[in-house]
Amino acid sequence: MNKKSAFLLILICAFLFLGACGPSGEKIAQAQEKYTQVVEAHNRAVDAHKNVEDASLDEALTELGEASSRLEGHDLNQMKDEEIDRLMADMDLLISSYEEYREELLEIRRREDAAVLTPIPVTLRNKASLSFRELRLYEEGDPLSCENVLEGMEPFAFGQSLEGLLVQRDVEKTPWVLSLTDTEGGEHEITLPVSGYEEQGVCLLLSYDEEQGVLTAQREDDITEDEDNQEEADGQGASEG
């Protein structure tokens, strides 16, 4: 699939020479504009093609790329208006085919994502001595994919809980990032190891170490377990005493 993707990308460069020299008239200008649309449709299909593992459309896409590459064999300056009209009709068919395949590829990507992504609901409880005006949750390496969850809301203050957040665990168990901006302008980033989160969801408690200036998010279950272990240790110490 990678070789065929590369082949499709190379075709873009070859297309650019269509009608590049000689006098230009109204029909040539129309054909060049139509050709630009073919290139744009081609690029969109290539981008969609790169993001899927399914190879079922590879052969059809390669044939479509070969048909598009034959456009460079036409010398627009030597063609009649009627011939250019027929050529533009062929380009319309290519554009339509590219868009149809792109939609199919996008649907394949959606199915592939659904098969490998595990949605995990997240509840956030603010136990920190800070209030937050911005909160973003995104997969590590993809900070532009999210928006400020607190947009249009009051600051997320101490003692409040925020529900409805969601992380998506992929097959590589890529960590997620919790990015917060407090009301004083301080920025905080916490890496979340989603590989250890249960599918039914996780509750995270925000806490802030004022001496270190570090914000952390710890699982509520972990805190409860630590407290239980400490109580058990204290009980044993009292018994021994």
Side-chain angles (χ1 to χ4, degrees):
M1 187 180 79
N2 291 334
K3 290 182 179 179
K4 293 180 180 178
S5 294
F7 172 67
L8 290 172
L9 287 168
I10 290 170
L11 287 178
I12 300 174
C13 299
F15 288 166
L16 298 178
F17 295 100
L18 176 65
C21 59
S24 59
E26 183 178 357
K27 281 296 178 183
I28 288 180
Q30 291 175 359
Q32 289 175 328
E33 173 61 27
K34 185 68 65 178
Y35 159 71
T36 299
Q37 296 174 24
V38 172
V39 172
E40 292 172 348
H42 174 89
N43 289 344
R44 290 192 293 269
V46 167
D47 286 340
H49 186 228
K50 291 187 297 185
N51 293 325
V52 301
E53 296 297 329
D54 188 313
S56 61
L57 295 180
D58 283 7
E59 183 176 352
L61 286 168
T62 300
E63 291 177 357
L64 185 59
E66 291 171 349
S68 299
S69 70
R70 287 193 288 271
L71 292 174
E72 62 180 301
H74 294 85
D75 184 353
L76 297 178
N77 300 292
Q78 302 299 320
M79 297 174 66
K80 297 179 180 179
D81 285 358
E82 295 80 1
E83 293 174 321
I84 294 179
D85 285 336
R86 288 195 292 271
L87 180 61
M88 288 193 294
D90 291 339
M91 287 192 279
D92 279 331
L93 291 176
L94 290 173
I95 293 169
S96 178
S97 295
Y98 274 126
E99 290 303 321
E100 289 178 5
Y101 283 125
R102 176 176 176 272
E103 288 300 320
E104 286 189 53
L105 289 165
L106 291 176
E107 179 57 32
I108 290 172
R109 174 62 186 270
R110 284 190 286 268
R111 291 198 301 267
E112 289 180 346
D113 284 347
V116 300
L117 292 179
T118 301
I120 302 173
V122 176
T123 298
L124 204 60
R125 303 196 195 285
N126 188 2
K127 300 297 182 181
S129 56
L130 298 171
S131 294
F132 304 95
R133 57 182 172 83
E134 293 186 12
L135 187 154
R136 292 176 171 82
L137 187 61
Y138 57 88
E139 189 176 50
E140 188 175 64
D142 192 19
L144 300 180
S145 65
C146 65
E147 297 181 354
N148 176 21
V149 174
L150 301 178
E151 183 73 33
M153 298 171 58
E154 294 294 322
F156 182 38
F158 173 80
Q160 293 182 333
S161 296
L162 188 63
E163 299 181 358
L165 301 175
L166 188 72
V167 297
Q168 301 269 8
R169 184 170 59 215
D170 59 22
V171 292
E172 297 178 350
K173 297 181 173 56
T174 307
W176 278 58
V177 175
L178 179 62
S179 175
L180 302 106
T181 303
D182 61 46
T183 53
E184 300 300 319
E187 296 183 353
H188 314 268
E189 282 194 356
I190 304 171
T191 300
L192 305 180
V194 299
S195 59
Y197 295 171
E198 293 79 13
E199 294 182 21
Q200 62 267 30
V202 62
C203 179
L204 301 177
L205 303 185
L206 289 178
S207 60
Y208 183 65
D209 185 325
E210 294 188 6
E211 291 186 3
Q212 299 293 327
V214 175
L215 184 72
T216 58
Q218 190 172 1
R219 287 174 47 170
E220 187 176 45
D221 292 345
D222 292 342
I223 293 176
T224 302
E225 183 177 343
D226 290 343
E227 291 175 346
D228 290 343
N229 291 339
Q230 184 60 49
E231 289 179 2
E232 182 178 345
D234 291 344
Q236 290 177 350
S239 298
E240 293 173 359

